[in-house]
Amino acid sequence: MFRSAVSQFDSAKEGSAQRLAAQQVILRQARPRDGLTLWHLLSRVSEVDRQAVYARLSALIPPPADTTREGILRLDRAMLDSWWNALDLGDIGLWRHWERSWPGPETQHK
């Protein structure tokens, strides 16, 4: 159900009831191993909804000491990067390099 909710969230129109319902399922069912999903969700929801995402993510994976709630809620890049690094998925610099160099779907079929 979690994966289905993530898919629904991704395909639903921003601000729609379907997207909000999917977001609620995601937050309710998220486990510590879903920290990456919640981290990405922080920047994909409204400022009001970001508070709920922050609360769930911080309950599952406490934010690093060098971050603040306010900084995360305003999407401070350095603080988000620090929290990413706390997820033990490798340094954020590696992700940013890969993200910039990956030929996304729009360039793969040309």
Side-chain angles (χ1 to χ4, degrees):
M1 185 142 200
F2 182 82
R3 287 183 182 185
S4 176
V6 171
S7 180
Q8 289 174 358
F9 179 89
D10 285 341
S11 63
K13 183 179 179 199
E14 192 171 326
S16 69
Q18 180 184 12
R19 186 170 170 151
L20 181 57
Q23 176 185 314
Q24 290 171 346
V25 170
I26 292 168
L27 294 178
R28 191 172 48 251
Q29 294 190 354
R31 297 157 294 184
R33 71 180 192 185
D34 301 315
L36 174 64
T37 300
L38 296 179
W39 184 90
H40 279 286
L41 204 59
L42 283 167
S43 64
R44 300 191 58 216
V45 297
S46 71
E47 288 184 46
V48 172
D49 292 335
R50 192 172 302 135
Q51 295 176 40
V53 176
Y54 174 87
R56 184 64 174 145
L57 179 55
S58 64
L60 296 172
I61 303 168
D66 62 345
T67 65
T68 64
R69 179 181 182 276
E70 295 74 23
I72 296 295
L73 293 179
R74 73 171 183 272
L75 302 177
D76 178 276
R77 184 172 176 159
M79 290 189 192
L80 287 169
D81 288 356
S82 179
W83 208 348
W84 169 284
N85 292 336
L87 296 175
D88 282 335
L89 299 170
D91 188 87
I92 188 69
L94 298 173
W95 164 254
R96 294 215 189 279
H97 172 74
W98 177 83
E99 184 180 35
R100 284 189 303 267
S101 64
W102 182 67
E106 66 280 355
T107 60
Q108 288 181 345
H109 300 292
K110 290 183 179 178

